[in-house]
Amino acid sequence: MSRIDTTFAALKQQGRKAFVAYIMAGDPDFERSSEILAGLPEAGVDIIELGLPFTDPMADGTVIQRAGQRALEAGQTLQRTLDMVRTFRQTNTTTPIVLMGYYNPIYSRGVETFLRDATDAGIDGLIIVDLPPEEDEELCIPAQNAGLNFIRLATPTTDDKRLPKVLQNTSGFVYYVSITGITGAAAAEATDVGPEVARIKAKTDLPVIVGFGIRTPEAAEKIASVSDGCVVGSAIVAEIAEGKPASEVLAFVRSLSDGAHRA
């Protein structure tokens, strides 16, 4: 079992939903990003999604686009992102970390080299938004063979014909994108999300986690109540963008995790 599998098994035994937090690696700089990363588990985060900054983040809204730009301007690279994870693992060996981003930096490094370095650093899973199931041989299958979960996105436009293809090599969990569009673009509604989650769960035993459009503890609770948990990204990144100290960012994260865990 991967760290992700172990985490979901423990949450199920406790009767709790998962809270997943996203931050951009290196935003606003390496030191402050590392401090926030280190504090996420204590703030109630069950799984960490760590964004890999990229120059052309086509699925992201302006909040996360700007975070990636800040990180790149501060000198963040794929190597420095792996170094952050390696440092995190010196004090935390249980909280799963999922690297979320785009294929280009991985392709540039070389798939075999990247997978070796990622597993050595302590990465548990990948969400690569611009690699469809038709390209599974490119990264998905090698990643699974290396012991990494490959997490796929399902969306409101993933119909019953497409869904089996999306699910066929997915592991860890399914990430359901609650809205049509980019990150941070609209608010997620539990009444819309619930039936879609049920539709996906009828086709897989994997947990279904809902992201996009969740900004408040109340929204986290509502979305988690109709799924296996929720992801918050843009709302956290916006707090970082305001220049707040790590302690205030983590207090906000704690409020969100408390909301999800009430579900």
Side-chain angles (χ1 to χ4, degrees):
M1 288 177 67
S2 68
R3 265 187 284 248
I4 294 172
D5 297 332
T6 300
T7 295
F8 278 112
L11 287 167
K12 185 176 182 179
Q13 190 172 35
Q14 297 162 12
R16 301 172 74 202
K17 302 300 181 73
F19 178 69
V20 184
Y22 170 99
I23 63 168
M24 179 67 73
D27 174 38
D29 54 53
F30 185 85
E31 290 73 21
R32 280 178 283 181
S33 184
S34 296
E35 183 182 2
I36 293 167
L37 176 66
L40 290 176
E42 185 64 29
V45 175
D46 300 301
I47 298 173
I48 297 167
E49 280 184 16
L50 188 61
L52 179 61
F54 180 52
T55 53
D56 189 22
M58 59 185 181
D60 294 313
T62 54
V63 171
I64 290 180
Q65 285 183 22
R66 289 169 181 161
Q69 194 61 43
R70 288 192 298 270
L72 291 169
E73 290 174 355
Q76 191 71 8
T77 61
L78 173 54
Q79 183 57 52
R80 296 195 88 192
T81 300
L82 295 177
D83 290 343
M84 283 179 64
V85 176
R86 188 172 284 106
T87 300
F88 177 89
R89 287 287 175 231
Q90 292 174 4
T91 56
N92 184 305
T93 60
T94 57
T95 304
I97 294 180
V98 175
L99 194 65
M100 184 171 186
Y102 299 84
Y103 185 45
N104 184 275
I106 296 170
Y107 177 80
S108 297
R109 193 180 188 93
V111 168
E112 186 176 340
T113 300
F114 166 75
L115 291 175
R116 183 187 65 240
D117 294 345
T119 53
D120 287 348
I123 296 288
D124 301 289
L126 302 173
I127 300 175
I128 308 301
V129 299
D130 55 349
L131 275 182
E134 286 75 13
E135 305 296 335
D136 275 357
E137 295 294 335
E138 189 79 18
L139 180 62
C140 174
I141 301 302
Q144 307 256 37
N145 290 339
L148 294 173
N149 289 127
F150 200 88
I151 295 140
R152 192 80 69 191
L153 304 179
T155 75
T157 59
T158 306
D159 61 19
D160 289 338
K161 183 178 178 180
R162 180 65 174 169
L163 185 58
K165 187 74 173 176
V166 169
L167 296 175
Q168 68 180 2
N169 289 316
T170 299
S171 64
F173 60 92
V174 179
Y175 187 134
Y176 179 67
V177 177
S178 64
I179 58 174
T180 303
I182 54 177
T183 58
E189 297 292 341
T191 52
D192 298 329
V193 168
E196 289 297 297
V197 170
R199 181 171 67 92
I200 296 168
K201 288 181 73 66
K203 301 294 184 181
T204 180
D205 293 330
L206 292 171
V208 179
I209 304 300
V210 178
F212 286 45
I214 303 168
R215 303 188 184 96
T216 66
E218 294 74 22
E221 181 178 2
K222 288 178 181 177
I223 295 299
S225 71
V226 296
S227 64
D228 295 302
C230 67
V231 186
V232 179
S234 294
I236 297 170
V237 173
E239 296 283 303
I240 296 170
E242 290 182 14
K244 294 181 179 180
S247 59
E248 289 187 26
V249 174
L250 292 169
F252 176 63
V253 174
R254 166 59 75 179
S255 72
L256 295 164
S257 70
D258 286 347
H261 291 149
R262 282 195 298 269

